[in-house]
Amino acid sequence: MEYFDGVLLYIFDRFKGERSLSAVYHLLTGKKSSQTIQDGKLFKVGSFFGILKKLKRSKLEQHVFALLEAQLIQPNQHEGYQITSGGKDALSAFLVTKPIPNYLAGWQYHQVSELFWQRLSLFMQSLSYSIHGNMNFYPISKDEAIQNWVKKHFPVKKEKRVLLAEELFQEIRSHLQKLPDPHASFFIMRLSGEGRTGLTVHQLADVHKISYEEAMICFQGVIHGLLFQVQHNAAQYPILASMIEGTSGQLPLTLSTKQTYKLLEDGMTIEEIAHTRRLKRSTIEDHLVEIAINVPEFSISPFVDPKAQLEIKLASKEINSQRLKLIKDYMNDQYSYFEIRLTLCKEGI
């Protein structure tokens, strides 16, 4: 079984057959829709958000067909796939030999990981060449904004560059030493410098004789883990922390949701926001769900009575499902779809 098959089994297992193949595709490619964001929270698969942005739908379908042929999954009435008992055994075996990186955090870092990597890799390339007295090199990033950022933060004096290179090396090493050796090497082999050209993800996969999907997921896991350390221990990683300036502390909300959140903080009601922004109430409700998922201190009590929240959570557990219609029917239409999904997404049941 290929690595990507194991990842799909993991996601199908979490989805419990309650989401379609499109939901899997949108999760992996990082579609920023309210449904995909909601799925990531409800089924605890947000770590996979956007980790395979270039994934083709046809390739996903090929792997699903292979899993069907091997009888590891089976289709159901929800246009989704249920993992079979054989699939569960295969998944358990897969997770023993190829555990999902526990530092993978696609939803949390999808907005900053690529920017961070480009700044870091170009900065290190520039340091390497300059220390060896050679500034005539082809920059690995063609992005003008990335190049300007590096120029702005690059030390003028060579002595400072040497010192900075040593300090940066120590910061990176302290994180890489905590990782499994193959994963740490993924990061190192992608770096460029004087006398060496970093590998692409495809080349990395070829060298390690693994699939592109495994190389990409594991590499992103290393970056996410590094970002986690920087975010929570900035004092220990001052140089790396500087590479997320302008992004640190931002809420991972869509632009439209940020506008709604600001109006909420100004004291507006759902109806007032919908009127002011000339949007449907349902759209504003989608925004509230996204806010509830991403803002820990955001209280949903003004929108769902605390007693209702308890009853909804209990109902979901009793029927062992996060499908809104099933819960709504089970509760005899006592609560709206909005109240149910807002409660479930806030709790992450």
Side-chain angles (χ1 to χ4, degrees), residues 146-157:
I146 298 295
Q147 293 181 5
N148 288 337
W149 185 91
V150 171
K151 290 175 183 176
K152 177 183 175 183
H153 293 79
F154 205 69
V156 176
K157 296 183 178 179

Side-chain angles (χ1 to χ4, degrees), residues 302-314:
F303 311 100
V304 188
D305 182 86
K307 178 175 177 290
Q309 294 178 40
L310 290 174
E311 292 176 352
I312 291 168
K313 288 183 282 187
L314 180 61

Side-chain angles (χ1 to χ4, degrees), residues 130-142:
S130 67
I131 289 173
H132 288 86
N134 177 13
M135 287 302 288
N136 184 26
F137 62 92
Y138 187 76
I140 55 174
S141 176
K142 300 177 183 177

Side-chain angles (χ1 to χ4, degrees), residues 46 105 266:
D266 291 340

